[in-house]
Amino acid sequence: MRFNRILLSATLVVVALVIQVTVLGRLQLPGAVPDLLLLTVVSLALVYGHVSGALIGFAAGLLADLAPPADHAAGRYALVLCVIGYVAGLTRPDGGRFRSAWGPMLTVVAAAIGSTLLYAGVGALVGDTAARHVGLTGLLFTATLYDLLLAPFTVPFIMALARRAENDPMAVEAGGGPANKAADVSAGWLAGGTGLRIGSQRGGLRLKTARSRANKAIRIKGVKPVKGVKSVKKL
């Protein structure tokens, strides 16, 4: 793994874990808890691939196993996130280009369900029966619901950061050309849902600035301005 990839992944994992423990873990929601750490691993795996996703997942899970107030055996969540990161990285399309937000959303759903089942299965092997008392069906439903609600605000942002840290030309193309406005989910997921077109607005502002400068130069020289601009008398 490259240095900038390691640095960004470590920073995002630590920030996600801190928010997970100090904020999300204390919401006292019914059923499961929104898993920001899982979404971070999935987002990075969708950009970096299955090998890096497995390594990041293992490191993130091990950190969560050791961080208080962990009440389970060390290595249990590391195994879960390692598998999830590997499988999520396998869903990364060739070239890393997603045609719509459905790909990452379905990956988030599968990761939420898979992580809950895998965590409960590993717990059953080591004698942890907490999932039975809470209800596995309720855990699956609430875990999927909470992660889906949190995903639009985290996954596109993390994927965009990962691409920029890699100096990936896709991070520039996704916001620049009209042909690629909807091609990359990290640049257009939220924009597509709200009706905002960030890339086209940026290009439109640049075009307007260039036209205004050209019209100013034409006025100074006394040449007839371009169509659509009020004429100014020659000084």
Side-chain angles (χ1 to χ4, degrees), residues 4-85:
N4 54 353
R5 182 180 296 187
I6 297 174
L7 182 61
L8 177 66
S9 301
T11 303
L12 291 175
V13 165
V14 171
V15 172
L17 181 62
V18 171
I19 297 175
Q20 183 76 35
V21 173
T22 59
V23 179
L24 299 179
R26 300 184 179 183
L27 293 179
Q28 296 182 352
L29 297 173
V33 177
D35 200 337
L36 181 59
L37 197 60
L38 173 69
L39 296 178
T40 302
V41 172
V42 170
S43 303
L44 294 174
L46 290 176
V47 177
Y48 295 149
H50 60 282
V51 176
S52 297
L55 294 175
I56 295 171
F58 179 80
L62 187 60
L63 195 62
D65 288 332
L66 299 177
D71 56 353
H72 54 268
R76 179 177 171 185
Y77 202 48
L79 174 62
V80 172
L81 287 187
C82 180
V83 174
I84 295 299

Side-chain angles (χ1 to χ4, degrees), residues 140-202:
L140 288 172
F141 176 76
T142 53
T144 305
L145 177 63
Y146 297 154
D147 289 347
L148 270 179
L149 292 176
L150 188 59
F153 304 99
T154 55
V155 175
F157 177 70
I158 295 173
M159 290 178 67
L161 283 179
R163 293 191 194 282
R164 291 189 178 277
E166 288 280 292
N167 295 322
D168 193 340
M170 284 178 53
V172 180
E173 292 176 3
N180 293 324
K181 283 188 301 184
D184 193 300
V185 67
S186 65
W189 192 351
L190 292 178
T194 57
L196 300 177
R197 296 183 178 179
I198 301 173
S200 60
Q201 288 179 352
R202 188 182 303 169

